[in-house]
Amino acid sequence: MLVDLAGGWNPMLGRLAWSQIPYDNPILAPLFVAVVIGAVLVLGLITYYGKWTYLWKEWLTTVDHKKLGVMYILIGLVMLFRGFIDGLMIRTQQAWAVGPHSSGVFGATHGYLTPFHFGQVYSAHGVIMILLAATPLLVGFMNIIVPIQIGARDMAYPYLNALGLWFTAAAGALIMISLFVGDFAHNGWFGYAPIFELQYSPGVGVDYWIWTMELLALGTTLGGINILATIIKMRAPGMTWGRLPIFVWASLASNVIALTSFPALQVALALVAADRYLGAHFFTAGLGGNLMLYTNLFWIWGHPEVYFVILPAFGMMSEIFPTFSEKPLFGYMTMVLASMAIAGVSWLVWLHHFFTMGAGPYVNSAFSVATMLVGIPTGVKVFNWAFTMYRGRLTFNAAMLWAIGALFLLLVGGLTGMMLAVPAINYMVHNSVFVVAHFHSMLLTIVYAIFASVIYWFPKVFGFKLNEFWAKTMFWLFSAGTALVFVPMYMLGFMGMTRRLDYVFNTAWHPYLLVMEFGIVVYTLSVLAFFALLYVSVRDHASNQVGADAWGTSRSLEWLTHSPVPFYNFAVLPHVNARDEVAWRRDNGIDHVQPDHYEDIHMPNNTGVAIVLGGLTFVLGFALVWRIWWLCAFSLLAIIALVIYRSFKGDPGYIITAAELEQMEKAAMRREARIGKQQHRVGSGVLGEAIAYARSDLPSLASQPGSTGGLDHRS
Amino acid sequence: MSHGHDDPTLHPEVQMSTSRGYFSGFAISSILMFVATFLVASHAVPPFGLLMVIAVCAGIAIIAQIYFLLHIDVSEHNIWNTVALVLFMPLFLITIGLTWWMFSQLYLRTMIMPGMMH
């Protein structure tokens, strides 16, 4: 042992002891019972219906990018719910524990949460919402949509894709188990030096935080590499850079950020781990340590990270507005340049998270100007969306409503962001709930774009539409909740209320806090509306079925293939003729041309290695948290052995023959015909130059490096 | 789908890598790490000189790892590695340079001198 541990340690169980299980906590103990009963119920139902083989073969071992994306989104939604419950708890505590006369229960002097427990709740809320809700939801959508939009059969590295998912799942499991075994960090989601050092946080909470974040960083980096390689190398013939859908461009920009910034987080956390495990002094208050260096390193990742999550949301909005405006996107080139500009500037602004460090007027001015620069490309995007809708044939369905909601919240969040970019204002409202309200406006922009995308792309993935009534009900409830929670929060920020208060000393703030509590109740109703949406949509799925082009006004390539998308995506890889290929085919009357013959397809095999590696990383994380060194060594060696084994074994893949393919395609086309929205007009009105599918007697354009250059302005 | 059937060992970046390259990269970075650790542990050099020596060791280690382990160079048939280098250099300069600038300004105002923090 290089460091002194409070509470003892033994070689067998490390720091683990019965006293670490919070069975005496009046909130956690009943929750634990409920979770156990729920888990037994779910596992029992799976066994009763005999679905284990199906689950293992179709989902747990899959390398299909669509199924992995769906599982990413499921993890994201579950964690979004958990993060929401944390938010509900924070709001309730702050509405309750106001003034010296407020009552207290469950061992708390005021309210129902002790300060230590409250610290864990807001730390978990932040980590979960940003890294385990927003990130998996967005990565899930990129996983599903990017390969179909560029006309690829799968990601560049299907096995790596599965690995990224299971690392994310392992991290989610690690943060969830911290509820019932030990405790979680109380240092906020981004951590403060030196409070996370061992002498100030002797428990295991900070260790849970470190290894959860490290696992998520690893999973997201792997995912980023995969999406970048897919976009660069796997585009269909004719899909030049100038024809890429904007969502793909946004994913590219976003994953360039992920690939370059996540290592900074990994280094920062590894140094914290060195302090806590090896007794180093990188971020301690004395002995040569530097507190602010941690903040600096963290935000070198942290600010690019927030653009990593906002850029895919921008891409989603850029897909949804044109579809429901029945117009091509306004200003395609400026949209591409704006995405890349945001990605570039993301590296130059991180000091604005700690203007108050006191680096002086020159440094603060430089970073202030750099931060304001972000407003230019973002403004370009907002105007482009506005001009896309201008004089379009607008359809105000649920997806469009969510996208417009995102646009308005972006304005609120963006303009308050401009205010915060001014160091003079920033000194006034630093660490106030004004800042909290600002970044919640930005994060909610992402949530709005995500729900818009759930509704927009759901029919593509599952073959039927979600219920419009419940989707709109959820939208209005969610928007009412947003207004009721965050308008008072902006006001309280100006009144000087600081963030993370477990006890609110100023009773004059009580009315505002009660309005916010009412807002979170409205949010809860919107969550119930979401469950109703899922239930009603699945119940009525037979009457809501759709064909390939679910919305009838779709524009990009993913709407060319069948809904639900077959596991091989495209029976014959399409030849891309224009930006907005599906709209172009519809205008030129070749949208229903089917390939005249099929060829064998080479597909990757499923593998159980990825989920086993995910399980082993969870064991490694758990062992590191509790310092069970033999288990660390065992799981680490198992991981290394398994990676080497898989690398030498490789995957030869398997072949779908042309005959099998034809059968599956015929079944899919029969489905389309039964739905009746599509009529086959094979070969009618084909223009002279139009190419629907790549011909096997010509060299594939995608394999020629030259075809990737040059921007095409035909749209 | 043509690349799906290619033998991955025939790719130029795989062809270029040799076990000698990997071992040299590993050996050079290990030696530099041990030198740095030894100097820190033995207090053989005054604090400011120690910072300089460690920084130089780290710089050499970075270059060795980039060249031997990541195969990033400016050769023509490894165009994507060159792209990675072009992306990496400005980011490296930004993160290190701006950090150095903001902390030197901070130290100026809080009168902390590097090397005297004991």
Side-chain angles (χ1 to χ4, degrees), chain A residues 153 232 234 260 288 290 292 296 347-348 350-351 357-363 367 602, chain B residues 1-5 80 87 91 94-95 98-99 101-103 105-107 109 117-118:
Chain A
R153 290 235 164 80
I232 290 167
M234 305 279 285
T260 48
N290 190 329
M292 287 315 290
N296 180 59
W347 274 94
L348 296 166
W350 78 89
L351 179 118
M357 173 172 81
Y362 302 117
V363 174
F367 279 93
H602 181 228
Chain B
M1 277 279 97
S2 59
H3 56 274
H5 304 284
W80 284 108
L87 184 65
L91 292 182
I94 285 170
T95 45
L98 288 180
T99 299
W101 184 44
M102 66 173 78
F103 276 80
Q105 293 281 308
L106 178 72
Y107 290 163
R109 283 170 174 74
M117 294 176 288
H118 279 275

Side-chain angles (χ1 to χ4, degrees), chain A residues 346-395:
Chain A
S346 77
W347 274 94
L348 296 166
V349 299
W350 78 89
L351 179 118
H352 71 215
H353 293 271
F354 47 103
F355 272 140
T356 52
M357 173 172 81
Y362 302 117
V363 174
N364 281 3
S365 310
F367 279 93
S368 168
V369 170
T371 306
M372 290 184 197
L373 280 181
V374 182
I376 298 172
T378 315
V380 166
K381 282 178 175 266
V382 171
F383 281 112
N384 279 347
W385 292 320
F387 283 127
T388 304
M389 288 188 277
Y390 178 63
R391 304 191 74 171
R393 266 193 293 274
L394 301 184
T395 314

Side-chain angles (χ1 to χ4, degrees), chain A residues 284-340:
Chain A
T284 53
L287 298 166
N290 190 329
L291 315 174
M292 287 315 290
L293 208 51
Y294 169 76
T295 310
N296 180 59
L297 259 180
F298 185 90
W299 288 113
I300 284 179
W301 162 77
H303 202 83
E305 154 72 13
V306 301
Y307 292 160
F308 165 72
V309 288
I310 197 82
L311 276 170
F314 288 168
M316 292 164 169
M317 290 157 76
S318 307
E319 296 295 326
I320 291 165
F321 284 129
T323 302
F324 299 117
S325 304
E326 300 188 32
K327 272 174 70 187
L329 184 72
F330 183 90
Y332 174 90
M333 273 309 290
T334 52
M335 217 59 158
V336 172
L337 292 175
S339 300
M340 288 299 161

Side-chain angles (χ1 to χ4, degrees), chain A residues 481-521:
Chain A
T482 305
L484 285 167
V485 170
F486 292 104
V487 171
M489 198 184 279
Y490 276 118
M491 294 162 82
L492 283 174
F494 276 142
M495 294 177 197
M497 180 171 159
T498 47
R499 66 198 294 191
R500 296 171 175 163
L501 293 181
D502 62 285
Y503 165 69
V504 181
F505 63 88
N506 190 343
T507 47
W509 295 336
H510 202 191
Y512 300 89
L513 292 165
L514 288 176
V515 173
M516 286 155 84
E517 179 69 13
F518 177 61
I520 204 95
V521 171

